[in-house]
Amino acid sequence: MTALPPTSAASGDATRNDWTQVEVEALFDLPFNDLLYQAQIAHRAHFDANQVQVSSLLSIKTGRCPEDCKYCPQSLRWNTGLTEQPLLSPEQVRTAARKARAAGAERFCMGAAWRRPRDRQLDQVIELLAVVREEGLETCLTLGMLSAEQAERLGRAGLDYYNHNLDTSPEFYGQVITTRDYQDRLDTLGHVRAAGLKVCCGGIVGMGEARVDRAGLMVQLANLPEHPESVPINLLVQVPGTPLDGIERLDPLEFVRTIAVARLLMPRSRVRLSAGRDDMSDELQALCFLAGANSIFYGETLLTTGNPATEADRGLFERLGINAAPESKAASLP
Ligand code: SAM
Ligand code: DTB
Ligand code: SF4
């Protein structure tokens, strides 16, 4: 006997924003094969299951962040030996964008280690945004908290996506970050939506949270007024010097379950197999794609930590028959 939940999450066509914690925990608790089967149905209803979107990431301002995120090598509170880097110049960004485009990336995401950008800093970032747009790439930024006015300015400047993660459940959040609260994050996400930008919002697992917290994160993401278009699921990259270095590693199959639940709850969103791939086997990544992941970060570095070599990713895609064709080709599917 399989233990499918009374209402199959996979079958409903309507996207829901009213998930309960109990329902989502029940999905996590399904037998692994049943969970993956349901996730596959949801995935195939909305996407080409053999198509993965690729984004490239660039840290445009590195280190000395005043926030105290316990996972992050860029907080000035932890001694991680990171080389600081002030804001990159338009020329540096153009070079990186061209390289990313030549390697096959569709979207170029720029991240800055700020709590929130000052208006003068936003002016400079808008210049960088123009450079990436000139190079013909989709754009994404992650700069920390934004005011409503700042989000509107980015919208007027032609930004496509803004990344701002909820990171974990509201209950576990205080154990990871104390310098900004959950509501601050929800407020920024509201400003980004109101400005007409697409939302990239997900979280991190493997920080010592329990399954209820992973379920709690998923409930928060899926019950946002609109599902984020892009949902990055990061597996903690343990960096020496950060408080979370050395924490017990998450069971890889639990990571796959998290991807599958994200796919089921947000069936029309791109679910990104985000940080942590450098430590994953090809087989684990293949299971993540089977569970519904259909986006990755492509290129040898994330912001400050490593990511698989592009040749390795190309080889894996080839072995799996995955095509990294532009999003527009997938858009014609149901
Ligand atoms: N400073 C901005 C902020 O926090 O909003 C933007 C950059 S921040 C590095 C973006 C996201 O990267 C974080 O929200 C977190 O989810 C992820 N991240 C940071 N360090 C990580 C790590 N060691 N492992 C996995 N994900 C990480
Ligand atoms: C996201 O969710 N993951 C990316 C991106 N959004 C900005 C960042 C991952 C960072 C991993 C640690 C590092 O390289 O510094
Ligand atoms: Fe700063 Fe972002 Fe790192 Fe937190 S995750 S310390 S806000 S760069």
Side-chain angles (χ1 to χ4, degrees):
M1 272 283 284
T2 56
L4 292 175
T7 49
S8 167
S11 61
D13 210 33
T15 53
R16 288 179 49 190
N17 303 72
D18 60 353
W19 289 94
T20 66
Q21 177 76 21
V22 170
E23 283 177 305
V24 176
E25 285 179 27
L27 290 173
F28 267 95
D29 290 344
L30 281 172
F32 188 80
N33 287 345
D34 290 343
L35 176 58
L36 258 69
Y37 176 64
Q38 289 215 29
Q40 273 274 300
I41 295 172
H43 191 184
R44 286 168 182 273
H46 300 290
F47 290 99
D48 173 347
N50 303 307
Q51 192 271 342
V52 167
Q53 184 274 339
V54 295
S55 293
S56 183
L57 196 50
L58 178 69
S59 181
I60 54 170
K61 183 269 173 185
T62 308
R64 292 206 63 74
C65 183
E67 303 285 294
D68 69 352
C69 313
K70 287 192 174 62
Y71 49 77
C72 184
Q74 302 203 66
S75 167
L76 55 74
R77 298 171 198 238
W78 331 130
N79 188 1
T80 58
L82 188 73
T83 309
E84 293 158 21
Q85 167 74 61
L87 194 64
L88 297 183
S89 67
E91 294 68 38
Q92 287 170 306
V93 168
R94 190 179 300 279
T95 305
R98 284 188 178 163
K99 191 174 161 216
R101 197 189 50 199
E106 292 167 50
R107 190 176 309 155
F108 194 71
C109 310
M110 297 185 277
W114 286 322
R115 171 177 164 77
R116 59 165 84 248
R118 298 201 181 98
D119 286 339
R120 169 84 195 101
Q121 291 167 327
L122 204 69
D123 296 340
Q124 293 172 305
V125 171
I126 285 172
E127 284 177 38
L128 303 180
L129 187 64
V131 167
V132 178
R133 282 165 53 82
E134 277 165 24
E135 295 302 324
L137 286 153
E138 278 190 322
T139 52
C140 177
L141 286 171
T142 182
L143 313 171
M145 292 185 277
L146 291 183
S147 67
E149 295 70 29
Q150 289 179 321
E152 281 165 24
R153 284 194 63 202
L154 289 174
R156 284 196 298 274
L159 178 66
D160 296 305
Y161 289 79
Y162 195 79
N163 166 244
H164 198 66
N165 291 338
L166 289 175
D167 276 350
T168 189
S169 68
E171 294 75 21
F172 190 69
Y173 183 88
Q175 293 192 44
V176 183
I177 301 147
T178 68
T179 48
R180 70 167 81 146
D181 61 30
Y182 216 80
Q183 189 57 47
D184 291 327
R185 290 181 184 257
L186 292 169
D187 290 347
T188 292
L189 292 169
H191 299 325
V192 168
R193 259 300 172 226
L197 296 168
K198 291 184 197 137
V199 171
C200 173
C201 181
I204 316 183
V205 296
M207 301 193 293
E209 78 285 340
R211 181 178 272 185
V212 291
D213 298 306
R214 289 185 283 279
L217 167 66
M218 291 299 147
V219 169
Q220 291 291 323
L221 293 170
N223 290 351
L224 287 169
E226 279 178 73
H227 290 171
E229 281 79 4
S230 167
V231 180
I233 308 295
N234 297 279
L235 178 61
L236 175 71
V237 179
Q238 298 197 6
V239 180
T242 59
L244 291 182
D245 183 37
I247 198 144
E248 190 181 343
R249 289 183 191 272
L250 187 68
D251 172 2
L253 296 181
E254 182 70 9
F255 183 78
V256 179
R257 283 182 183 273
T258 309
I259 298 264
V261 171
R263 168 51 63 224
L264 278 169
L265 266 50
M266 295 166 278
R268 295 173 192 270
S269 304
R270 287 270 163 189
V271 175
R272 181 171 305 131
L273 170 53
S274 192
R277 286 200 303 120
D278 215 16
D279 290 331
M280 292 180 195
S281 67
D282 286 353
E283 294 81 357
L284 176 56
Q285 293 186 63
L287 267 182
C288 292
F289 296 131
L290 197 66
N294 60 354
S295 170
I296 59 163
F297 281 123
Y298 189 57
E300 266 125 67
T301 36
L302 292 168
L303 291 174
T304 67
T305 64
N307 199 41
T310 49
E311 305 80 67
D313 281 341
R314 273 193 223 113
L316 177 60
F317 280 8
E318 203 172 310
R319 284 166 70 209
L320 297 175
I322 282 177
N323 131 45
E327 189 135 18
S328 51
K329 291 205 181 144
S332 58
L333 282 153

